[in-house]
Amino acid sequence: MRFVPHHILRADGTQGIANNIMPASEFQLIEHYFSRLGARRSDVPLGVGDDCALLQVPPGQQLAVSIDSLVEGTHFLPGVDAESLGHKALAVNLSDLAAMGAAPAWVTLALTLPRVDEAWIEAFCRGFGRLAARYQVQLVGGDTTRGPLSITVQVHGFVEPGRALRRDAARPGDLIYVTGTLGDAGLALLALQGGYDAGEHLAALQRRLERPEPRLAEALALRDLARGAIDISDGLLADLGHICEHSNVGATLQQAAIPLSAALAAYVRATADWSMPLAAGDDYELCLIVPADRQAAVEAVGQTLDLPLSLIGRIEAGGAIHCLDAAGNPIAVARGGYDHFRNP
Ligand code: ADP
Ligand code: MG
């Protein structure tokens, strides 16, 4: 819906629009850029264009829904390229579906733009649309308004009752796995802000920050072996902390088992700072909780994935998370994690 001041009441009682936020071309803009973005799905009887989309949830499936906003200056640096932003806005949402073990289907997009910059919108749609097509996701609706740059995406996916990977499912003795490598996005941000010279690793790190890959294939391959999962958006300790709180358990991690990229290994060697892989956010890897008797089965599936799957620790009774060094001594790392409303 447009802002109220832009609606006028005509003398004959019908409503009109005094001054579109996107002048004259708002509807063409939507038609041109947003009406055919992503996949074409047979479970969308009516997509972009009417007051609502009409969507058909397949029989026997639950709808998994999640929404995330990206605000300039809070979630991304001003001036970041629009294609990366389009990719990331969708990727972080698809990551939530992956963490739930849900298969993606539909997406809506609320865009607030300071001005109509068609080159920007086109690049944004390229990044968004390519990722959507790759995962068979259809853009089915949204809203376009003027204001400080912000992007809100809501995803919808399907999961059969009882098969979702919930945060409250961990039990003492369960194994903790993570996909990929940890800390790369945090190190990228530090390097881009001039706090670290990443040298030859900079481009690879920047890609991890700006073009995260949702771990959907991994989640769906492991869904029926794992008990629960979370995606690492706020840092391993913070996100594993959510699993522990919801499940009333604690955890012990083995520092030496934390998977590091070449760039992170070089950083840790140079600085002895483990806060990047343990507490920095924005990686969008999965942390999976697996019953111990399924270790062999999980690792067999792990062999078939494109990414490493690393066993990093165990769920314990009690509420604390400990991280042990190679000699078995606890190391102190602030749990960290970004909290938008924490007092400074
Ligand atoms: P209304 O005033 O009825 O909310 P809008 O002008 O906001 O209608 O939107 C018209 C149509 O375009 C709707 O189907 C809406 O879902 C779609 N739409 C608007 N902006 C976007 C967008 N950024 N992405 C996808 N669909 C959009
Ligand atoms: Mg609207």
Side-chain angles (χ1 to χ4, degrees), residues 86-204:
H87 173 102
K88 187 164 179 175
L90 180 56
V92 303
N93 277 277
L94 293 179
S95 177
D96 282 316
L97 289 180
M100 212 64 196
W106 312 313
V107 62
T108 52
L109 167 66
L111 260 185
T112 306
L113 302 171
R115 72 195 75 83
V116 178
D117 173 347
E118 289 212 34
W120 191 97
I121 296 173
E122 192 176 329
F124 179 90
C125 287
R126 211 180 312 126
F128 190 101
R130 190 178 298 144
L131 187 64
R134 187 137 56 82
Y135 288 105
Q136 288 299 300
V137 175
Q138 181 169 342
L139 181 66
V140 297
D143 199 25
T144 309
T145 55
R146 182 165 8 220
L149 181 59
S150 119
I151 303 145
T152 298
V153 173
Q154 185 168 43
V155 283
H156 308 73
F158 306 139
V159 62
E160 277 120 50
R163 289 177 85 183
L165 298 173
R166 296 167 51 135
R167 305 182 173 187
D168 57 5
R171 298 182 203 162
D174 286 352
L175 307 176
I176 304 168
Y177 284 87
V178 290
T179 59
T181 60
L182 300 185
D184 298 314
L187 187 56
L189 189 59
L190 182 66
L192 290 173
Q193 290 175 328
Y196 177 68
D197 179 5
E200 51 164 351
H201 298 300
L202 182 62

Side-chain angles (χ1 to χ4, degrees), residues 1-2 7 26-27 30 34 47-53 108-111 139-144:
M1 193 178 68
R2 284 162 293 275
H7 286 98
E26 176 186 342
F27 297 102
I30 292 170
F34 302 121
V48 168
D50 212 315
D51 298 307
C52 294
T108 52
L109 167 66
L111 260 185
L139 181 66
V140 297
D143 199 25
T144 309

Side-chain angles (χ1 to χ4, degrees), residues 54-120:
L54 298 174
L55 308 169
Q56 192 69 49
V57 180
Q61 303 275 349
Q62 289 178 335
L63 190 60
V65 179
S66 181
I67 187 165
D68 263 311
S69 295
L70 296 184
V71 176
E72 186 175 47
T74 302
H75 300 95
F76 57 91
L77 302 171
V80 73
D81 85 277
E83 187 172 337
S84 294
L85 214 49
H87 173 102
K88 187 164 179 175
L90 180 56
V92 303
N93 277 277
L94 293 179
S95 177
D96 282 316
L97 289 180
M100 212 64 196
W106 312 313
V107 62
T108 52
L109 167 66
L111 260 185
T112 306
L113 302 171
R115 72 195 75 83
V116 178
D117 173 347
E118 289 212 34
W120 191 97

